Amino acid sequence: MLSGIFPQSIADRLQQIWLQMATEIAGDAIVVSEEHCAPPASPIEIGGQTAHWDRFLLLTSADFSALVGMKSVEGGQKLGLTLNLPEIQSFMALLSPTALAIGTGVQTNVEDWQQRQNLSSWQNRLMILLLQQLPVAPTELVCQPVQLALTQQLREDKILYEVVAQIRETLELKTILKNAVDKIQEYLQLDRLIIYQFEERHSSALEIQRRIGWVAYEARLDASILSVLNFQEPGSCFDDFQHWQRYSAGQSQAINDVRSYYGQHECFSQQMANFQVRAKLVVPILVRGNLWGLLIAHDCHGCYDWQPGQSQLLQRVAGHMEIAIYQAEIYAQLQNQKESLELQVNRQTRDLRDALTVAQSANEAKTEFLAVLSHELRTPLTSILGLSYTLLNLLNGNLDDRQKSYLQTIKHSGDHLLELIDDMLEVSQLEAGKAVLRIGEFSLMKMLNQISQMVQQQAEQKQVQLRVEIMDGDQDISNDPSQDIRFRGDIKRIKQITINLLTNAIKFTAAQGEIVLRCWREFDYLVLQVDDTGIGIPQDQISQIFQKFRQLESTLNREHAGIGLGLALTKQLVELHGGWIEVESEPGHGSTFTVWLAAQALRLPKVEVEAPRRNGIKTIVLLESEIPPVDGVASGFIADILTAAGYQVVSLTETYLAHKQIELWQPDLVIIDRQIGEKATNQILRYLHNLTKSQHIRYLLIATKSQSDVSDRVVPVESLLWDPLQPEQLLAKIAKLI
């Protein structure tokens, strides 16, 4: 790398440079000279100069090594300098290992040269120090070689920098490798530079012998050089396991004369001749320790003596190619994983969508089933409740205590069954999103007093004390109507929430226990709290009490009645109001249920007024169909209820004479069962509406939900009841009308 005749003082300056480099490199860097070990006795070539060297300076480390030999000649010092690692290793092999170890004490630092390398950064640093500190000679022998070497090193670094920059900028492996091959071929002016890529990575001897590859990339000096792009070497043409073992270990191979080297391999030698290959330099490309391919330089014009610098450059390029290939493989794996995950997500999304469709269909079928079941159960249940109610009122004086007990048991059991049916319908409507709030403003005190009266009898039967507290801050205003609290919400649903909590508390509270219903307002929230001294709930089971058809007791040893819908329905009604429910409980020490309900926007003003009641016996005309209804109430059922309630009832079945009879009777109320038909109903209403003396008559229609509403009638109708009827509902409606 550096040779020539230099002044005598050059030795001291070079020693200073070598020591400075060792200090900067640090680590395992050492400087060895003739002071530590005598130079080789035989002539040896260093930096293109062969001589019996009087003195030498060896700088060696894992990252950088340099050697300079000096011999006194006439006019100064003959100097030879090299950075070539094989040349340095050959020089060290001639040194006395024992003397070297005794002199330096670090024999291990100059062993294991398989792992040594020369980093370009330290090469550049050495060149700069040489340019700064070497004296300028009359001839150009002093600086010109150094300048040429430095220029060459900078060009190599520039090319490698461009390769590295492209690796950082793109993940396109084909682009990176193609550009790298083009740049290196152009810089080294090689006849041909190729990348031979294997289909599979080879680790075992058997796999190496079965290697399959092809020329994936190529760059040529000019068109006179034949192209070998996409050429695939037959696996049986050349099987030299030693070569492939060497490549797999990461070792390069320089072949100066292909004909001579492959003379025994006739097939392969002929193949090289066909492609004009006279000399070649092979550098393996390893990726994660596996042989990925080969970077091969061809000389096509004659035997060629490959220089160490060329091999080192190709090795450095192969190292950067390894990074690019590994990076591309990782990216490809990530892309495959991404595509796999996308397919998996799409498949799971499709499965979930299908499952959701099935669940929605099942939910709709369940809702429809509950509606049909409720309708079918309500029809006979209405007759049971109505007839038991009628018998209790008509035959009250003619029944003994035992008979009254039977009728009351029938009525109470029917009422309980009706509550269960209503709960099932309510839950199905809430889950189907069909439930809506009917918002109005109401009195909390009045509502809670009504609720207390409704459940008081149940509490007394279990000998449980029920107490109501309406709080305004710390003050109980339960007995002070002047301090009533108003709230906006669906009063029917809030009543249902409160009654469910109270009846649940009564059910699980033993005799002599106590239940407290507290109520207060916090900002725009209504807080309802039911505190009992009942059996309590274990902490790990609290989350289960709001599940449908779930009771915490064993189904084989259940002491308390119910199907597990009350609290589930309560939670859904609370959430429908934009609220939430909290539970605190301890087994054996009772439970506290706290409900928070958000005040609703008041859409339509609603005034609570008591319906006026009229004195005297009222006359009601009941217009029924001659054909008994299939799913309606039994014949004579409504007449019996009204008669038991103290009304004078006139029952008509002949629709063609009904309008004349109604005109004659002038009743207070006409109840029309729409089973008589749409046409007959309209004719009767139109006729009576045009009579001046019949203007005071009120009308009540009984219809099924499958029939049209009354809103499209020319003649206004005061009210409408759905069939099947509830006796209490019918009587309450009539009381408001007349």
Side-chain angles (χ1 to χ4, degrees), residues 156-170 176-177 179-181 183-184 316-321 324:
E156 290 184 5
D157 290 342
K158 180 181 179 182
I159 292 175
L160 291 175
Y161 174 79
E162 292 176 354
V163 173
V164 172
Q166 192 168 46
I167 292 175
R168 293 175 178 175
E169 291 175 359
T170 179
I176 294 172
L177 296 183
N179 289 343
V181 169
K183 290 180 182 298
I184 301 303
R316 295 173 68 186
V317 171
H320 291 300
M321 287 181 176

Side-chain angles (χ1 to χ4, degrees), residues 342-353:
E342 288 178 350
L343 290 175
Q344 186 176 358
V345 169
N346 292 335
R347 183 169 58 252
Q348 291 181 349
T349 301
R350 184 172 59 254
D351 293 343
L352 288 174
R353 189 184 299 111

Side-chain angles (χ1 to χ4, degrees), residues 244-364:
W244 293 100
Q245 197 173 31
R246 178 176 183 176
Y247 296 150
S248 298
Q251 300 178 19
S252 303
Q253 185 179 34
I255 301 174
N256 298 335
D257 186 355
V258 168
R259 294 178 181 177
S260 173
Y261 191 84
Y262 294 113
Q264 297 179 354
H265 301 277
E266 183 178 352
C267 175
F268 190 75
S269 180
Q270 183 61 43
Q271 199 174 89
M272 294 292 97
N274 292 340
F275 293 115
Q276 303 174 327
V277 180
R278 300 294 303 277
K280 70 176 184 176
L281 174 62
V282 183
V283 176
I285 302 174
L286 301 177
V287 179
R288 288 184 291 181
N290 296 312
L291 187 60
W292 180 90
L294 302 172
L295 181 61
I296 306 175
H298 288 163
D299 191 289
C300 300
H301 293 89
C303 299
Y304 184 78
D305 187 12
W306 298 101
Q307 299 300 311
Q310 294 173 315
S311 177
Q312 291 176 10
L313 177 59
L314 292 184
Q315 288 176 4
R316 295 173 68 186
V317 171
H320 291 300
M321 287 181 176
E322 175 186 359
I323 296 174
I325 295 167
Y326 179 70
Q327 179 178 275
E329 289 182 351
I330 293 298
Y331 179 74
Q333 292 176 7
L334 290 175
Q335 288 297 108
N336 291 336
Q337 291 176 1
K338 177 185 176 183
E339 293 175 0
S340 176
L341 287 174
E342 288 178 350
L343 290 175
Q344 186 176 358
V345 169
N346 292 335
R347 183 169 58 252
Q348 291 181 349
T349 301
R350 184 172 59 254
D351 293 343
L352 288 174
R353 189 184 299 111
D354 294 341
L356 180 61
T357 302
V358 172
Q360 289 175 342
S361 300
N363 189 57
E364 292 174 0

Side-chain angles (χ1 to χ4, degrees), residues 132-149:
Q132 289 176 343
Q133 299 190 30
L134 284 182
V136 178
T139 66
E140 296 182 355
L141 291 177
V142 176
C143 294
Q144 186 177 9
V146 176
Q147 184 66 39
L148 292 174

Side-chain angles (χ1 to χ4, degrees), residues 572-642:
Q572 290 182 334
L573 291 175
V574 169
E575 292 174 350
L576 183 64
H577 257 86
W580 66 92
I581 185 169
E582 300 172 350
V583 182
E584 296 180 5
S585 185
E586 183 179 351
H589 294 81
S591 305
T592 301
F593 287 76
T594 306
V595 172
W596 297 73
L597 300 174
Q600 307 297 312
L602 190 59
R603 300 179 183 88
L604 295 175
K606 181 177 180 181
V607 181
E608 296 181 87
V609 295
E610 294 291 340
R613 299 300 302 270
R614 297 167 60 185
N615 297 323
I617 298 176
K618 306 297 181 181
T619 302
I620 299 176
V621 171
L622 177 60
L623 183 57
E624 298 179 300
S625 174
E626 294 179 336
I627 303 175
V630 177
D631 55 357
V633 297
S635 178
F637 168 61
I638 298 177
D640 290 341
I641 293 176
L642 298 179

Side-chain angles (χ1 to χ4, degrees), residues 304-455:
Y304 184 78
D305 187 12
W306 298 101
Q307 299 300 311
Q310 294 173 315
S311 177
Q312 291 176 10
L313 177 59
L314 292 184
Q315 288 176 4
R316 295 173 68 186
V317 171
H320 291 300
M321 287 181 176
E322 175 186 359
I323 296 174
I325 295 167
Y326 179 70
Q327 179 178 275
E329 289 182 351
I330 293 298
Y331 179 74
Q333 292 176 7
L334 290 175
Q335 288 297 108
N336 291 336
Q337 291 176 1
K338 177 185 176 183
E339 293 175 0
S340 176
L341 287 174
E342 288 178 350
L343 290 175
Q344 186 176 358
V345 169
N346 292 335
R347 183 169 58 252
Q348 291 181 349
T349 301
R350 184 172 59 254
D351 293 343
L352 288 174
R353 189 184 299 111
D354 294 341
L356 180 61
T357 302
V358 172
Q360 289 175 342
S361 300
N363 189 57
E364 292 174 0
K366 179 197 70 175
T367 303
E368 183 178 355
F369 169 75
L370 289 176
V372 173
L373 177 64
S374 173
H375 179 72
E376 295 299 325
L377 291 176
R378 276 174 173 270
T379 300
L381 187 59
T382 302
S383 298
I384 294 172
L385 290 174
L387 292 176
S388 62
Y389 183 84
T390 302
L391 289 174
L392 283 172
N393 284 274
L394 286 177
L395 305 177
N396 188 34
N398 300 323
L399 298 175
D400 56 29
D401 293 340
R402 187 177 182 183
Q403 291 170 333
K404 287 182 180 179
S405 175
Y406 287 165
L407 286 175
Q408 288 174 350
T409 300
I410 292 173
K411 186 177 184 304
H412 290 161
S413 299
D415 289 338
H416 178 63
L417 182 57
L418 185 61
E419 290 176 1
L420 296 180
I421 294 172
D422 289 340
D423 286 347
M424 292 173 62
L425 273 178
E426 187 78 22
V427 168
S428 64
Q429 289 178 350
L430 286 169
E431 290 181 345
K434 297 180 180 180
V436 294
L437 296 176
R438 292 178 173 83
I439 309 302
E441 185 173 293
F442 58 89
S443 163
L444 289 178
M445 185 174 294
K446 181 178 178 181
M447 181 194 74
L448 295 178
N449 288 335
Q450 291 174 350
I451 293 173
S452 176
Q453 293 174 7
M454 293 173 65
V455 300

